[in-house]
Amino acid sequence: MTREAGRRGGLDGQALLLAAGLADLAVSTVGSALGTVRGLLRRSDAEELAAEAEHELVARGRLVLDRYAGVPPAHLEILARRALTRKAAGGV
């Protein structure tokens, strides 16, 4: 399809081309991801890899929740708590 023919198609033709491009991108991405998953399943250390991925996802989830869930405690309050902990432990 030439540029002139694409222009004549108007917004409907452009939307169709955009949707087709996105669909092709999605199909190629899914195909690539499936190939990667198949390769990972053939590995002898797949169980360790899965456990490591789980730990990584839990850590990421914790970071996301900490970032968006609530207001972090005040910096001076954290320092005061540490000082109290050190004092109670017999430190300086």
Side-chain angles (χ1 to χ4, degrees):
M1 179 180 273
T2 65
R3 288 183 185 234
E4 291 176 11
R7 288 183 192 144
R8 279 188 254 141
L11 291 177
D12 291 341
Q14 214 171 9
L16 179 63
L17 291 174
L18 181 62
L22 286 172
D24 182 56
L25 178 64
V27 167
S28 66
T29 302
V30 167
S32 174
L34 286 175
T36 302
V37 168
R38 277 191 216 116
L40 290 175
L41 290 176
R42 292 183 189 140
R43 293 177 58 143
S44 63
D45 62 344
E47 187 176 330
E48 293 172 13
L49 194 61
E52 187 176 319
E54 180 183 358
H55 290 297
E56 176 101 8
L57 287 174
V58 168
R60 283 177 168 263
R62 192 173 293 127
L63 287 173
V64 169
L65 288 179
D66 288 347
R67 186 180 314 141
Y68 297 111
V71 179
H75 180 68
L76 290 177
E77 185 176 337
I78 293 172
L79 292 176
R81 288 180 186 173
R82 287 183 186 166
L84 286 173
T85 303
R86 274 194 224 125
K87 188 176 180 181
V92 177

